[in-house]
Amino acid sequence: MSIKSIGHKQLISQCLSILPTETFSSPLLNYEYDKLSVDALMKIFVAAQLDKWESYEDMAERLRANPEFCQSINLSSISGSQLSRRINDLPTKYCQELFQRVVHIIQDLTKHHKGISPEIGILKIVDSTHLKLPPELCDWAYVTKGWNVVKMHTRIKVVSEDIAFPDKIIPSTGNVGDVETGELLIEEDNATYLMDRGYPSTKNVTAWVGNDIRFIVRIGKNIKTVPIETYEPDHHSVLSDAKIRCSYSNEPLRLIEFTDEEGKLYRLLTTRWDLSAKQIMDLYRYRWMIETFFKWVKQHLKCVKIWSTKPQGMWNQMFLALAAYGLALIVQLQSKSKKKLWPFLRLMRTYMYKPYNEFMEALHQKKSKSSRGRQKVPIPKKETKFQGDIAIIKPQKKK
């Protein structure tokens, strides 16, 4: 699905027209809701994430101030309290389905990308992040004293050096360990999975090996291994490269140990026998991409600013925030822009309520050459530090 080139329409309306929400606008699904369909509700909250609307009242005010946008989603009027109530009641399976449909669009747009390189292929990086909740309002999210959190267990797909996107998430309360989501996030496909120490267990690793899943996972120092065959290290940072047996699996696995620039030890268990030890070591460093993704979502989509203190509202926020991320990426891919995603989103926000064609003109505007060559720089005159006679100034003692 792509943006239809209706240049005079607002950018926000054009972008939301990409969302595959037709199913959610059916009369059967919305017979209880006169003013606000499920389709329109999800579009409002995706718009709120894209444009960083701060609160329910802020949402209501922006909607009242923009009748063109309201008309595009068939909305007559709405209040902040209605939005709050509806997002808490909305079945999370609808938000999950919308996110999955957005992912399918991205996958279609990136189907010609073959991964980091033909030899390495597609990567999938698995990790989790937490969102902190107010303890006095969210006892259901209690983990320990002063620490009430929910977690977003996430898998991002890396299709090239520059393009990565979440293709699956599992919301949970904060007391759900990463290891418990391993069988849900690591699935049979042609990708190589990168994981940290929270994911390996005898059950998980045995299942991955049995399903011929390619993985690179970090293990702790206390995991005992028995070498079967050793290989010559191919890089000065690689301490050892060996075929081993360990408690995680009855099948032989490959263990690579290396140190980073600060001397920190890493132990990587893998089924990638076709790559060199250096390639395995370098591949693991791609884990920074998911950390960058979490930081991006929290900073630029304000995912840390919660909409709800109820479980269903929190799960809905996670899926709709990532649908907004995916929508921005879709517009970037379709526009063939060379901008990074954050500068691209920043420009989207600048032109959000302007005609779509104005945004496209700004996006592809060539930079004008402003430099006139080397110029003499005048030496500035020394300015008086304190000016005027209002403040009381006491001379400082020389050190």
Side-chain angles (χ1 to χ4, degrees):
M1 188 178 295
S2 62
I3 290 182
K4 296 177 182 178
S5 185
I6 307 174
H8 65 275
K9 283 189 69 174
Q10 288 182 336
L11 174 62
I12 182 64
S13 299
Q14 288 276 70
C15 290
L16 293 177
S17 70
I18 297 174
L19 288 176
T21 57
E22 297 82 5
T23 305
F24 306 113
S25 60
S26 68
L28 186 62
L29 196 65
N30 293 285
Y31 71 93
E32 294 182 2
Y33 311 119
D34 297 329
K35 288 186 177 181
L36 185 62
S37 67
V38 172
D39 167 32
L41 177 68
M42 292 197 290
K43 284 182 175 179
I44 288 172
F45 278 92
V46 170
Q49 294 285 178
L50 282 177
D51 199 30
K52 207 167 61 173
W53 298 354
E54 295 293 335
S55 65
Y56 288 117
E57 282 309 309
D58 186 23
M59 291 183 192
E61 288 170 0
R62 286 174 183 265
L63 291 170
R64 283 193 294 269
N66 198 331
E68 183 180 336
F69 172 62
C70 292
Q71 186 179 3
S72 71
I73 60 173
N74 299 315
L75 177 67
S76 56
S77 63
I78 199 73
S79 68
S81 60
Q82 287 173 307
L83 289 170
S84 173
R85 184 168 60 254
R86 285 292 305 280
I87 199 63
N88 285 322
D89 293 338
L90 181 67
T92 300
K93 64 180 181 180
Y94 297 160
C95 299
Q96 181 186 43
E97 185 178 345
L98 176 63
F99 167 68
Q100 289 170 341
R101 291 182 180 187
V102 168
V103 169
H104 289 156
I105 296 173
I106 299 172
Q107 288 175 332
D108 187 58
L109 289 170
T110 59
K111 61 186 176 184
H112 299 300
H113 294 274
K114 303 303 180 184
I116 299 300
S117 70
E119 187 179 14
I120 292 169
I122 301 291
L123 297 180
K124 288 192 175 181
I125 311 172
V126 177
D127 206 346
S128 66
T129 190
H130 68 264
L131 301 176
K132 193 172 182 181
L133 306 179
E136 62 277 5
L137 298 175
C138 301
D139 56 348
W140 58 270
Y142 175 85
V143 178
T144 187
K145 186 176 180 181
W147 189 245
N148 293 51
V149 298
V150 292
K151 292 175 78 172
M152 186 168 71
H153 303 268
T154 307
R155 184 177 74 198
I156 67 169
K157 184 176 181 179
V158 183
V159 297
S160 72
E161 287 279 359
D162 302 318
I163 303 174
F165 56 90
D167 72 341
K168 188 171 185 179
I169 67 164
I170 299 170
S172 80
T173 51
N175 54 2
V176 175
D178 291 345
V179 69
E180 298 173 69
T181 64
E183 61 184 345
L184 301 173
L185 291 173
I186 293 86
E187 301 171 300
E188 293 181 59
D189 57 23
N190 62 351
T192 295
Y193 285 85
L194 300 184
M195 296 165 280
D196 209 350
R197 290 173 293 186
Y199 291 91
S201 67
T202 300
K203 178 184 176 182
N204 286 347
V205 175
T206 300
W208 303 339
V209 173
N211 292 323
D212 294 323
I213 290 172
R214 297 186 296 179
F215 63 84
I216 300 170
V217 63
R218 187 180 174 190
I219 61 173
K221 296 178 182 178
N222 60 330
I223 303 299
K224 297 188 183 305
T225 61
V226 179
I228 300 172
E229 185 178 353
T230 59
Y231 313 105
E232 189 68 27
D234 62 347
H235 190 269
H236 63 86
S237 295
V238 176
L239 303 180
S240 66
D241 180 7
K243 178 190 289 187
I244 58 96
R245 290 190 188 277
C246 67
S247 58
Y248 285 142
S249 173
N250 293 325
E251 298 296 323
L253 295 168
R254 185 180 182 185
L255 177 69
I256 294 167
E257 297 180 317
F258 71 94
T259 55
D260 63 11
E261 294 80 3
E262 298 176 355
K264 187 175 182 180
L265 176 66
Y266 289 82
R267 307 178 77 205
L268 302 181
L269 205 61
T270 182
T271 51
R272 290 296 302 256
W273 300 92
D274 56 319
L275 301 178
S276 69
K278 182 181 183 302
Q279 285 177 309
I280 298 291
M281 177 181 69
D282 290 340
L283 262 183
Y284 185 73
R285 290 173 175 150
Y286 276 92
R287 279 200 68 261
W288 66 267
M289 294 184 78
I290 197 166
E291 301 296 343
T292 302
F293 168 76
F294 288 145
K295 185 177 179 180
W296 199 101
V297 169
K298 290 181 177 182
Q299 284 187 348
H300 302 319
L301 294 183
K302 292 294 183 183
C303 205
V304 289
K305 188 175 180 63
I306 62 172
W307 294 341
S308 174
T309 56
K310 296 181 179 179
Q312 194 156 303
M314 284 304 308
W315 313 148
N316 290 342
Q317 179 174 1
M318 290 183 194
F319 283 112
L320 292 177
L322 296 196
Y325 177 94
L327 183 56
L329 180 57
I330 289 169
V331 178
Q332 181 199 35
L333 291 170
Q334 290 180 344
S335 68
K336 302 188 187 310
S337 172
K338 301 299 182 183
K339 287 181 178 288
K340 297 291 186 182
L341 193 54
W342 165 231
F344 186 87
L345 177 59
R346 191 170 56 208
L347 188 67
M348 283 181 65
R349 286 174 174 168
T350 301
Y351 285 84
M352 195 66 78
Y353 306 101
K354 294 182 179 292
Y356 173 72
N357 55 9
E358 290 187 19
F359 166 70
M360 292 303 292
E361 288 173 7
L363 183 63
H364 297 292
Q365 185 177 12
K366 293 182 179 179
K367 291 183 179 180
S368 58
K369 188 175 180 180
S370 57
S371 173
R372 295 179 295 171
R374 181 173 292 180
Q375 304 290 316
K376 289 185 178 180
V377 180
I379 299 174
K381 294 181 180 179
K382 190 173 182 180
E383 295 182 3
T384 305
K385 186 178 292 186
F386 301 108
Q387 299 182 18
D389 56 2
I390 302 299
I392 299 174
I393 308 301
K394 187 175 182 179
Q396 292 179 322
K397 295 180 180 179
K398 291 184 178 182
K399 295 182 180 179

